[in-house]
Amino acid sequence: MKKYNYFDDDDLILDEIRNRVKTAEPEQKHDRAEVLDAIRAFSKDGSEKVISVARTALRRNPFEELENASKRKKRWVTAFMFFVFILFFVLLVLITVHSVTKQNEKIEKFNADAGTVCTQYIVQYGSCNYENLYDKYKVQGYRMTGLCYVREMDFDGDGTSELLMVYNDSGVFYVEVWGYNGKGKFATLYHEKATQKKKKTTPAWVTVYSRNNRYYIGVHDNKDISKVSLYTLRGDKFEKKMNCTYDEKAEAFSIRKKVDPLNFERIRLGVLSESKAIVTQNLVTDTIDGFSSGGGDAAVKAAAINASLNGSYYRIIEELNQKYGTAKYVEKNGLAYIKGLAVVDLIDFDNDGRDELMLIYRKTVKSRTEDYHGNYVSVEEDKYYIEIYRYNGNSAVIAYKGEGISNSLNSSADQYFVLEKKGGVTNYCHNSFSSKNYGRTINATSTVLKYNKTSFDTDFKASYHSDYGYTEYYIDDEYVRKSTFEEEGYRVPLFDGSEEYNDGTYIVTYLQRKSTSAGKIKSQVERTQQTIKKLNPAYDGE
């Protein structure tokens, strides 16, 4: 019988290795686990490489050879697992980066769309501002005006923001929610009046309720303000979800007769403190700035700047209206004039694209004059004062202030102001006449003031002094002959007594004249009111 050679059979090779391991010397038994692991691994793989290792192990020391083979196997497995880990990590990073990129794109798109809507509403209703209710209605407190509230919120908790807005249209507050509809278009999802009783001077607010990462809008019953319906966003529509009650005296909300002091919010809009109005205005300005810096276009940034500019200018107007009264046309004792804050005009004096604010108001002052006996006496007279403001990026600051506007030598009744249009810029002109000794002594000065970005400088000055028939003439404070003065000194209209001038270059606006020559004085009141409404569309002129 031929002796069987186990080197010729792969299965016998592995069986022989197992037998040798079992009968190994005691000092080698600590290696058994390592070798048996290798055998189990080799048993699952019948490749030539594995059988070759096994044959080598039988010819030599099986413990040493199989231990080495097992270590090589483990290194390969470790390398493979490391590769898998690196691949998983890279995929995780790529997925995270893609997710962040998509989220950033979503945020940028929302900011751009929200900013565009805010811009449109600022243009239509004015920037966020506030007004004192006492001035008009004798009611203590303030109310928001223009685009008076803006807030980014996620009403349906789906991770995509909606835009809550409130605006004041002629004293009535409206609430809107903008978001993406089923077609992916940024559109109006909600539009209703805010909570307010019939009178425009009563408190006004928006009720918001939050629960489980969702926001609800509370709609108070028109007949019974204590009854509130809570609406939530589903798809692209707001639907009624539940009811609650409101205790107006305690300013508390209850659900199922249980007071909830934490999850309800009243966004106050009317009859609120000045400090609260300022906080709200700053909040709206910061929110719009956020839309601008987060991907909004240049129009949003311009609107944000314009909102602050309009608000700053309007606050000054409101103060002067309160102090001197609103513009009113008056005919009295043969005179026609505008009293109160007579002129409000937005003029881009330096043609840089940003308006300055020109204000002229009338007030009663005391002055000293001589009576028929040469004695100084105190008298009251009505005078016009002019103030011009510029916006420095944060607030309105004074650029020019003058006591009195232009007058005429031939008519003490005339009060007017002159603007010169030249080379794309606008200059302010001023004619001043004073006389004494029954007209025997006359001082006359005509100036052209040019805006230099921060203040007004004298661009041209002409003056003369006449004393009992002897007259001295000056241009830019230098003495000149009469002939030179007559050629160059009467640059500003009406300084020479003539009412003829180039109306393509100069604009002359009368604020006071004799009633028989009143002309277009009355129309100035309407122009003033229209300009104020540009700054605050909610202004009603009262």
Side-chain angles (χ1 to χ4, degrees), residues 220-261:
H220 293 250
D221 189 279
N222 291 329
K223 296 180 180 179
D224 187 352
I225 202 171
S226 67
K227 297 179 180 179
V228 185
S229 299
L230 297 177
Y231 287 76
T232 187
L233 180 61
R234 294 191 180 278
D236 53 11
K237 294 182 179 180
F238 275 80
E239 299 177 356
K240 183 178 177 180
K241 179 64 176 178
M242 65 184 84
N243 297 320
C244 67
T245 57
Y246 174 65
D247 185 336
E248 187 175 9
K249 185 176 181 180
E251 296 185 353
F253 292 88
S254 299
I255 295 181
R256 299 184 185 92
K257 298 183 179 181
K258 185 178 180 180
V259 176
D260 187 340

Side-chain angles (χ1 to χ4, degrees), residues 218-487:
V219 179
H220 293 250
D221 189 279
N222 291 329
K223 296 180 180 179
D224 187 352
I225 202 171
S226 67
K227 297 179 180 179
V228 185
S229 299
L230 297 177
Y231 287 76
T232 187
L233 180 61
R234 294 191 180 278
D236 53 11
K237 294 182 179 180
F238 275 80
E239 299 177 356
K240 183 178 177 180
K241 179 64 176 178
M242 65 184 84
N243 297 320
C244 67
T245 57
Y246 174 65
D247 185 336
E248 187 175 9
K249 185 176 181 180
E251 296 185 353
F253 292 88
S254 299
I255 295 181
R256 299 184 185 92
K257 298 183 179 181
K258 185 178 180 180
V259 176
D260 187 340
L262 300 177
N263 297 316
F264 281 92
E265 177 183 3
R266 291 174 69 235
I267 301 171
R268 299 284 297 275
L269 305 166
V271 192
L272 64 165
S273 66
E274 184 176 15
S275 61
K276 178 61 177 176
I278 293 173
V279 169
T280 301
Q281 184 187 42
N282 291 336
L283 174 64
V284 172
T285 301
D286 291 343
T287 302
I288 294 176
D289 286 345
F291 295 152
S292 176
S293 62
D297 56 17
V300 181
K301 296 180 181 180
I305 294 174
N306 191 53
S308 300
L309 179 148
N310 288 355
S312 297
Y313 286 170
Y314 181 73
R315 280 194 292 273
I316 295 171
I317 293 167
E318 191 177 31
E319 290 176 5
L320 294 182
N321 269 337
Q322 181 179 359
K323 192 172 183 179
Y324 304 113
T326 58
K328 302 291 183 184
Y329 176 76
V330 177
E331 286 193 20
K332 184 178 180 181
N333 299 328
L335 286 180
Y337 59 90
I338 307 295
K339 72 173 185 177
L341 182 55
V343 176
V344 176
D345 204 354
L346 295 170
I347 302 172
D348 186 359
F349 282 96
D350 57 353
N351 197 28
D352 67 346
R354 180 177 295 181
D355 288 334
E356 284 71 49
L357 175 68
M358 185 176 76
L359 305 172
I360 299 177
Y361 52 89
R362 182 185 180 101
K363 69 175 183 176
T364 302
V365 296
K366 290 184 177 181
S367 62
R368 297 185 67 191
T369 186
E370 292 183 21
D371 61 13
Y372 289 106
H373 303 287
N375 299 317
Y376 286 103
V377 294
S378 177
V379 297
E380 287 188 346
E381 62 175 331
D382 293 318
K383 294 182 65 175
Y384 286 102
Y385 289 77
I386 179 172
E387 295 179 3
I388 300 176
Y389 290 84
R390 65 181 178 88
Y391 184 71
N392 65 3
N394 295 307
S395 60
V397 295
I398 194 74
Y400 175 78
K401 187 172 185 177
E403 182 177 335
I405 56 176
S406 296
N407 63 347
S408 298
L409 178 62
N410 299 329
S411 175
S412 59
D414 290 352
Q415 297 285 310
Y416 61 93
F417 67 92
V418 182
L419 298 176
E420 179 189 31
K421 303 288 186 178
K422 183 180 179 182
V425 302
T426 302
N427 298 323
Y428 174 69
C429 306
H430 182 250
N431 295 328
S432 176
F433 296 92
S434 64
S435 65
K436 58 182 181 179
N437 299 326
Y438 303 101
R440 296 185 181 92
T441 301
I442 299 173
N443 288 300
T445 303
S446 179
T447 55
V448 177
L449 299 169
K450 187 173 185 177
Y451 182 53
N452 66 10
K453 303 289 185 184
T454 57
S455 60
F456 283 79
D457 295 329
T458 300
D459 188 57
F460 171 80
K461 181 179 179 181
S463 61
Y464 66 83
H465 173 73
S466 181
D467 191 11
Y468 289 90
Y470 177 75
T471 306
E472 293 179 335
Y473 300 92
Y474 299 87
I475 293 180
D476 292 332
D477 294 325
E478 292 187 3
Y479 176 82
V480 296
R481 295 178 180 274
K482 180 180 179 180
S483 58
T484 302
F485 191 88
E486 289 179 344
E487 291 178 0

Side-chain angles (χ1 to χ4, degrees), residues 40 135 137 331 367 472-473 475 496 501 516:
R40 279 192 289 270
D135 298 339
Y137 307 106
E331 286 193 20
S367 62
E472 293 179 335
Y473 300 92
I475 293 180
D496 61 353
Y501 57 90
T516 54

